[in-house]
Amino acid sequence: MHFDLPDLRLFIHIAESPSLTQGARRASLSPAAASARIKALEGQLDTRLLYRDSRGVELTPAGQRLLQHARLIMRQVDYLKSEFTEYGSDAAGHIRIFANTTAVTEFLPEVLAGFLAERPGVTVDLQERLSRDIVRGVLDGGADLGIIAGPVEAAGLQVLHFSTDRLVLVVPDNHPLAGRERVSLRDTLQYQHIGLHDGSTLLTFLREHVETLGGTLSLRIQMSGFEAICRMVEANVGIGIIPESAASRHRRTMKLHTIELDETWAVRERSMLVRDLEALPGSVRALIATLLPESSVA
């Protein structure tokens, strides 16, 4: 059985688009040409890959399976190309990262700024994803690198621990809880919270633990980042649960009080997820080495 790489890339474009027309546009093909190539691919595999209707396309179970393999194949092709560029082993290439909210908004921008400034031939696609989607993305080959916090169930992946943070409660200096050294999540539920946007990993994580308690997380307003949450807390709008690293930084310029959360899950181990460290291109290994300064990643 023979597969053309352009056909596999076309199939990925269509699977990641809401319609065959948009997928064809991404592949610089006409819809008719794209449709013919997909039909030929289905004929070669002797199975249907897409359901087509007026609303767009949907993958069949066989299509889902092919998408997983196609992503892995194309990712390895991209790895191969990056290894033989004129720039060298770690100075060129494209890196796709799936990461949680804290990584995307807090420490990765600074890390990537220095990393990319030294490597003009490297490009990065950084996407905020939920933990389960980060694991699935690395497993399926949709991402080169996943960054996650908390316990990890990632059979088939290599887990590289690189730092530890904890979640804390931030309140205004005059808040009733400000005199407490430790509080439980349940203690905070009688007050209105300032939260992150819907779809953020931290808000989803907190909501799951609140549901376990049988309670309700009362959100007065949702913000786009931790600095915005702290500004709302400082203005007595509500209270918030954020990483201690972010709270410590914003306490330098705002009137805030931090309280330790008396919860086992408040301590968050940060880890990187990869399929096979040795098989990654030089640019990805160089980024991992940047996050693991004492490691021997090469």
Side-chain angles (χ1 to χ4, degrees):
M1 187 177 294
H2 173 74
F3 292 104
D4 289 327
L5 293 180
D7 288 346
L8 292 180
R9 196 176 291 278
L10 169 64
F11 180 73
I12 294 172
H13 286 325
I14 293 173
E16 294 177 346
S17 301
S19 68
L20 186 144
T21 300
Q22 291 193 31
R25 187 180 300 121
R26 290 180 62 189
S28 301
L29 293 172
S30 69
S35 179
R37 293 175 74 161
I38 292 299
K39 286 180 180 178
L41 188 59
E42 289 177 324
Q44 188 175 4
L45 293 171
D46 194 25
T47 188
R48 189 172 188 175
L49 301 173
L50 301 171
Y51 296 120
R52 303 171 179 85
D53 58 33
S54 59
R55 295 171 297 178
V57 296
E58 181 181 350
L59 295 183
T60 66
Q64 291 282 3
R65 197 174 308 117
L66 178 62
L67 178 61
Q68 179 179 352
H69 288 293
R71 280 173 169 167
L72 290 174
I73 291 169
M74 297 313 301
R75 184 65 61 187
Q76 285 302 130
V77 170
D78 290 341
Y79 289 168
L80 182 62
K81 290 179 179 178
S82 72
E83 289 292 335
F84 289 91
T85 62
E86 58 181 329
Y87 299 104
S89 62
D90 71 351
H94 181 73
I95 307 172
R96 176 175 283 186
I97 306 168
F98 288 175
N100 67 352
T101 305
T102 305
V104 170
T105 61
E106 288 295 305
F107 64 86
L108 270 183
E110 182 177 356
V111 171
L112 290 174
F115 179 81
L116 292 174
E118 296 175 354
R119 297 169 176 83
V122 175
T123 58
V124 171
D125 176 10
L126 175 61
Q127 299 184 24
E128 180 180 342
R129 296 293 183 93
L130 297 176
S131 297
R132 60 178 177 272
D133 296 328
I134 295 172
V135 173
R136 187 183 304 117
V138 179
L139 275 171
D140 292 349
D144 303 300
L145 175 65
I147 298 180
I148 199 168
V152 182
E153 293 183 9
L157 297 180
Q158 291 178 257
V159 181
L160 309 172
H161 169 73
F162 67 96
S163 70
T164 302
D165 202 355
R166 68 161 48 245
L167 296 175
V168 297
L169 181 71
V170 288
V171 301
D173 283 343
N174 60 353
H175 194 273
L177 294 176
R180 302 271 297 272
E181 292 186 3
R182 300 166 65 89
V183 295
S184 67
L185 178 62
R186 189 184 297 277
D187 293 335
T188 74
L189 298 184
Q190 60 183 302
Y191 302 100
Q192 289 185 308
H193 281 241
I194 314 298
L196 287 173
H197 56 87
D198 284 329
S200 64
T201 52
L202 179 56
L203 181 60
T204 301
F205 176 78
L206 290 174
R207 278 176 166 162
E208 290 174 352
H209 283 286
V210 171
E211 289 176 5
T212 300
L213 295 174
T216 301
L217 186 64
S218 175
L219 290 173
R220 189 172 185 191
I221 188 171
Q222 292 172 254
M223 309 304 294
S224 61
F226 298 128
E227 180 180 359
I229 288 177
C230 288
R231 292 197 181 281
M232 286 291 175
V233 171
E234 183 186 33
N236 285 288
V237 175
I239 62 177
I241 294 176
I242 66 174
E244 187 175 35
S245 54
S248 298
R249 184 171 66 258
H250 295 307
R251 279 185 63 187
R252 299 171 193 159
T253 57
M254 302 182 202
K255 295 180 180 180
L256 301 171
H257 190 80
T258 59
I259 307 168
E260 188 174 332
L261 279 173
D262 190 14
E263 305 287 353
T264 57
W265 45 259
V267 177
R268 309 266 283 168
E269 301 291 337
R270 292 175 181 163
S271 304
M272 289 179 284
L273 308 179
V274 296
R275 284 177 59 89
D276 183 354
L277 183 60
E278 296 301 320
L280 291 173
S283 58
V284 184
R285 294 199 305 273
L287 177 58
I288 292 173
T290 301
L291 290 165
L292 294 171
E294 297 180 358
S295 74
S296 59
V297 177

